[in-house]
Amino acid sequence: MDIDLFVAAHRAEWDRLAQLVRRSGSVRGAEADELVRLYQRTATHLSIVRTEMPDPALIGRLSTLVARARSAITGTHSPAWREVGLFFSQRLPAALYLGWRWWVPAGLAFMAVTALIAIWVAANPDVQAGIAAPEQIRELTRPGGDFETYYSSNPAASFAAGVWTNNAWVAAACVMLGVLLGLPVIYALWQNALNIGISGGLMMSVGRGDVFLGLITPHGLLEMTAVFVAAGIGLRLGWTVVDPRGRPRPQALAEEGRPVVIVVLGLACVLAISGVIEAFVTPSGLPTWARIGIGVIAELLFLAYVFVIGRRAAHGGETGDIDAKYAGDKLPTAA
Amino acid sequence: MAISGRAGLLALAGALVVGLLIPSWSGIFLVTGLILIAMVIDLVLAGAVHRLEFTRGGAQSVRLGEPAAVTLTVRNPGRARVRGMVRDAWPPSAGASDRHRLDIPGGGRQTVTTPLQPTRRGDRMAYRVTVRAFGPLGLAARQGSHTVPWTVRVLPPFTSRKHLPSRLDRLRDLDGRLRTLARGQGTEFDSLRSYVIGDDVRSIDWRATARSSEVMVRTWRPERDRHLMVVLDTGRTSAGRVGDIPRLDASMDAALLLAALASRAGDRVDLIAYDRQVRASVQGTSAAELLPALVNGMATLQPALVESDAPGIVAEVMRRSRRRSLVVLLTGLDPDPLEQGLLPILHTLTSRHLVLLAAVADPRINEMAQARGDAEAVFDAAAAARALQEREHVVGLLRRRGVEVVDATPEDLAPALADAYLALKAAGRL
């Protein structure tokens, strides 16, 4: 077949397609049908040219045209509000539930280490002396001292926003950096355990352990759970790098990494709640049992969300990953 | 070489020993050195893997969807015992469970069986055999790979053979072989016999009756010894997956049922697979050998990602069958490839042959066309209706040119094509 003849015969169709693609945002009805029709026809032309008269310039031109037409036709998205609903009702709880084998042990180990540090600090005056000067410790732990006033040092709203931004950032980093074999996650957990353990130990050493728990429990339950979830999911991501379970590592990382992003977004919401509690409930004048009660209720709601809704979603086949049609095709592998 | 989890646990225990008993650099060096020495001893004592000898046996062909087993016999010519794992690696589409335990004393042999459950048609070739032989402590292993070739040919499944008995019954009715019940239909004169009550009076042969002492009727039967040319298009449109199988595989299934039926009906069946050249050809095979020949010819066919050469297909068919045949084209009904390729030269084919075009339809499009509910479903339904309309337009174009068209979903294509063939035969159009 003569290439010039072919071009002359079909140029008008290609130009028309290019014109439709350029204003693809505003084509309606008959023009949309024409766009699809011309796209299919031009794809056939491309196939014919590739097979029968491989002319690089023409192939390049038609490839670009077909690719642009394809993105104009298939690039439109389904309504996003349904995705938001699916996110909270299916994806997030399922992703949280499927990670519980990682974050529950991580949380238990964290609490055990923290308690050990606290007891160690409280029981050894020479350790306390090694941490800070005695007057600094007194300034921190006295009634009305730095530890207590921290929660009311700023106006509640700005304090909540600040705490939330910081915590969400830490959780996101904790999850994402898990990809480095989980080592940054373990380091972050250790730093937090050290921090809480020392503060708790110092408060206990002056006999004010109840005040410490009363201040830290209302928001800390939910906040620390969020941190454990972040750490557990981050560790799971790190372990995926070590053992991709028979999948190629990039594919395994993509499959495990997409639910991780869901979890990060979800944790930002959870941490917003705990930030509000931290700013408005912790420093408030409510009696200790009421403040702790609010924290416990928030924690129980979260656990119910994960282990009731999430369990049901996970058993329904939800993995927290995006729809298979968006996830792309993958090569089969022999494990 | 490979190390085991046991070596890792040993190193962990060593770390505890160093930390609790000898927390110093010399402690670290001492414990690490001891572990390394143990591993080296283990490696030295492990059986040699590169001298192992392998022979294979077992299945050489299997129908897609059915299990097969390939055996691997390992002979250990050395003196040291070889104990560990062997992996008989196959491509993923062979569906092999490929890891086996190995324990062969010096001079001995062991046979392991690798079960296969292929998921794709075609030749599946064994990859490598990797042996990992652990030492007596189980800390470290020698590892080596061998190439032990073996090929298992995965044949088309011919799932539509379940439709064959019912179609053969229909053929028998047509054929009038149950003469006591029904008279044969068809246009080919078979024989004369005496009239019995119930025969159609229109079939009385008055000339024969005049010569004879009783009333004679003509009997008819469907034409025999007609020629069928099945053409499988292996171009790019055959590569698309409908459901989870390529269109080509659905077409093959239909071709196999048609060939089985036609060869029982006494017709001759030839097959070519063509995109820009002949990919497979089965010609002049006797009825008994036809199905095995077809199945073998089709086994290794794969869709080629090129535009099919319609003039080439037509020329090839014209070259191979000089007298009138039924040409069954198993191709796509996509408007553009057809309009650019086959339609302009179809008259060459139809001038000599009867053409039947069979195409795989996508059941998903019918589903989409029925869907209602939210805005997205309605838009999908509109798009599907549009696609169906275009398809009908093409079918109309083909019918006007005297081409019979069968457009059916993968499960229905084979029986629908067989029915179309029977209808043509009954109407005496072959």
Side-chain angles (χ1 to χ4, degrees):
Chain A
M1 203 186 287
D2 183 31
I3 191 158
D4 295 324
L5 199 64
F6 188 80
V7 172
H10 299 295
R11 172 176 288 153
E13 290 168 332
W14 302 339
D15 289 346
R16 174 70 181 148
L17 178 60
Q19 188 195 352
L20 285 173
V21 168
R22 259 199 301 282
R23 48 190 197 79
S24 61
S26 60
V27 297
R28 295 281 178 272
E31 278 189 330
D33 285 343
E34 190 187 359
L35 174 62
V36 174
R37 209 61 208 83
L38 283 175
Y39 158 67
Q40 290 170 340
R41 184 165 300 163
T42 311
T44 305
H45 292 156
L46 175 60
S47 166
I48 292 173
V49 171
R50 288 190 88 104
T51 314
E52 292 182 15
M53 41 198 163
D55 173 69
L58 187 57
I59 288 180
R61 181 184 165 191
L62 286 181
S63 294
T64 318
L65 185 56
V66 167
R68 283 176 49 216
R70 183 176 171 78
S71 70
I73 292 167
T74 62
T76 47
H77 288 293
S78 51
W81 283 112
R82 203 176 55 189
E83 286 294 311
V84 174
L86 274 179
F87 176 85
F88 284 110
S89 67
Q90 298 279 322
R91 304 228 161 103
L92 176 62
L96 291 172
Y97 175 75
L98 289 173
W100 79 269
R101 277 169 220 278
W102 285 88
W103 59 260
V104 169
L108 293 178
F110 179 91
M111 287 194 279
V113 171
T114 309
L116 277 179
I117 293 174
I119 292 167
W120 183 55
V121 170
N124 292 303
D126 47 331
V127 173
Q128 294 165 24
I131 295 169
E135 52 270 23
Q136 282 176 319
I137 294 177
R138 257 198 304 284
E139 181 57 30
L140 183 75
T141 56
R142 74 183 164 82
D146 285 351
F147 190 82
E148 286 173 39
T149 50
Y150 168 70
Y151 295 103
S152 45
S153 55
N154 279 312
S158 78
F159 182 70
V163 163
W164 174 51
T165 319
N166 181 53
N167 286 344
W169 185 250
V170 168
C174 204
V175 175
M176 301 288 192
L177 290 177
V179 78
L180 304 171
L181 302 180
L183 298 177
V185 179
I186 293 172
Y187 178 74
L189 277 183
W190 170 248
Q191 285 296 322
N192 269 298
L194 209 58
N195 207 347
I196 300 177
I198 289 174
S199 300
L202 291 178
M203 294 291 276
M204 276 156 68
S205 70
V206 294
R208 303 191 67 228
D210 54 334
V211 175
F212 173 77
L213 288 177
L215 282 174
I216 210 164
T217 313
H219 65 275
L221 275 177
L222 193 56
E223 189 177 300
M224 290 319 294
T225 309
V227 170
F228 300 152
V229 169
I233 303 283
L235 286 174
R236 188 179 67 180
L237 193 62
W239 188 249
T240 306
V241 179
V242 177
D243 176 14
R245 295 210 193 150
R247 297 166 290 183
R249 279 197 173 74
Q251 182 193 324
L253 263 184
E255 282 175 10
E256 302 288 337
R258 284 189 294 253
V260 161
V261 179
I262 300 256
V263 168
V264 168
L265 292 176
L267 286 184
C269 302
V270 173
L271 287 168
I273 297 170
S274 85
V276 168
I277 297 176
E278 183 165 4
F280 291 97
V281 176
T282 304
S284 71
L286 290 172
T288 305
W289 61 264
R291 284 183 289 141
I292 292 184
I294 289 173
V296 169
I297 288 170
E299 172 75 7
L300 287 179
L301 283 178
F302 175 78
L303 291 180
Y305 180 64
V306 173
F307 287 100
V308 177
I309 301 179
R311 200 178 125 91
R312 199 177 302 150
H315 283 292
E318 181 63 50
T319 61
D321 203 346
I322 51 177
D323 275 356
K325 64 179 169 181
Y326 300 122
D329 298 323
K330 49 194 182 230
L331 277 175
T333 48
Chain B
M1 122 163 211
I3 60 170
S4 66
R6 212 180 279 186
L9 284 179
L10 192 63
L12 199 65
L16 287 179
V17 169
V18 171
L20 298 177
L21 300 180
I22 27 177
S24 64
W25 280 107
S26 53
I28 292 176
F29 284 122
L30 179 71
V31 172
T32 313
L34 282 178
I35 294 173
L36 283 179
I37 289 171
M39 283 166 65
V40 169
I41 291 174
D42 214 27
L43 267 185
V44 171
L45 292 179
V49 293
H50 62 274
R51 278 185 302 167
L52 294 176
E53 291 161 11
F54 299 87
T55 41
R56 281 202 193 266
Q60 282 179 312
S61 69
V62 60
R63 253 188 230 284
L64 182 61
E66 289 172 10
V70 174
T71 62
L72 178 70
T73 304
V74 190
R75 199 177 84 79
N76 178 9
R79 273 178 299 165
R81 179 174 169 207
V82 171
R83 188 177 59 85
M85 302 282 291
V86 59
R87 181 178 188 196
D88 182 9
W90 289 77
S93 54
S97 326
D98 52 4
R99 284 178 174 80
H100 310 285
R101 299 215 141 272
L102 208 60
D103 190 355
I104 317 174
R109 65 176 67 222
Q110 184 183 343
T111 301
V112 294
T113 305
T114 304
L116 305 179
Q117 180 83 45
T119 52
R120 285 186 68 184
R121 190 175 42 75
D123 282 347
R124 297 281 89 87
M125 278 170 252
Y127 186 52
R128 292 190 307 196
V129 175
T130 304
V131 180
R132 188 178 275 187
F134 280 97
L137 298 175
L139 291 178
R142 299 196 200 186
Q143 180 171 317
S145 295
H146 299 257
T147 308
V148 191
W150 190 260
T151 303
V152 174
R153 174 159 289 191
V154 185
L155 305 171
F158 195 11
T159 45
S160 62
R161 64 179 179 277
K162 61 175 182 281
H163 297 294
L164 190 57
S166 63
R167 265 63 191 183
L168 284 176
D169 283 347
R170 299 252 303 271
L171 182 69
R172 221 167 283 135
D173 289 349
L174 215 66
D175 214 4
R177 270 183 221 159
L178 304 171
R179 277 170 213 275
T180 50
L181 297 176
R183 194 173 62 100
Q185 297 168 336
T187 52
E188 206 169 77
F189 176 68
D190 185 19
S191 61
L192 288 168
R193 61 171 171 78
S194 49
Y195 176 84
V196 290
I197 292 169
D199 276 343
D200 190 345
V201 288
R202 285 173 298 182
S203 60
I204 294 172
D205 185 334
W206 294 108
R207 283 169 187 274
T209 306
R211 279 197 296 273
S212 159
S213 59
E214 46 188 341
V215 182
M216 303 297 286
V217 292
R218 293 176 197 225
T219 61
W220 307 91
R221 62 167 193 185
E223 313 91 322
R224 298 180 72 83
D225 289 323
R226 297 300 143 134
H227 183 226
L228 260 76
M229 187 85 189
V230 181
V231 182
L232 275 177
D233 177 1
T234 56
R236 69 176 178 111
T237 53
S238 71
R241 280 171 175 266
V242 175
D244 198 32
I245 58 168
R247 285 206 180 114
L248 181 61
D249 287 36
S251 300
M252 282 180 180
D253 202 42
L256 283 172
L257 182 65
L258 178 65
L261 186 61
S263 65
R264 297 285 187 90
D267 292 335
R268 288 179 301 112
V269 182
D270 291 344
L271 172 125
I272 54 170
Y274 199 98
D275 42 72
R276 303 198 69 78
Q277 63 194 64
V278 179
R279 299 279 172 186
S281 161
V282 176
Q283 203 167 13
T285 317
S286 71
E289 288 158 13
L290 179 67
L291 271 189
L294 286 178
V295 163
N296 259 315
M298 289 177 180
T300 54
L301 274 184
Q302 296 299 340
L305 295 183
V306 295
E307 192 70 22
S308 297
D309 175 19
I313 292 179
V314 171
E316 188 65 29
V317 171
M318 299 302 274
R319 195 178 68 72
R320 284 178 183 236
S321 46
R322 304 245 171 245
R323 53 168 223 181
R324 183 179 155 82
S325 312
L326 172 64
V327 176
V328 181
L329 281 174
L330 287 151
T331 180
L333 263 184
D334 311 81
D336 283 296
L338 268 183
E339 277 169 21
Q340 310 274 332
L342 191 62
L343 274 182
I345 45 158
L346 198 57
H347 57 90
T348 330
L349 210 55
T350 48
S351 63
R352 192 192 292 167
H353 302 300
L354 175 62
V355 180
L356 171 60
L357 190 147
V360 182
D362 191 345
R364 174 90 187 99
I365 292 185
N366 287 326
E367 264 171 42
M368 277 167 68
Q370 303 299 324
R372 297 290 185 274
D374 53 0
E376 208 188 351
V378 173
F379 274 113
D380 280 356
R386 171 95 196 157
L388 289 175
Q389 194 186 1
E390 278 170 8
R391 221 170 157 87
E392 270 161 30
H393 172 70
V394 177
V395 171
L397 283 181
L398 288 166
R399 292 227 163 99
R400 245 169 289 151
R401 284 167 170 76
V403 175
E404 296 291 320
V405 181
V406 175
D407 182 16
T409 56
E411 308 86 74
D412 297 336
L413 182 65
L417 182 60
D419 290 345
Y421 164 77
L422 288 174
L424 287 175
K425 204 166 180 65
R429 290 186 56 197
L430 292 188

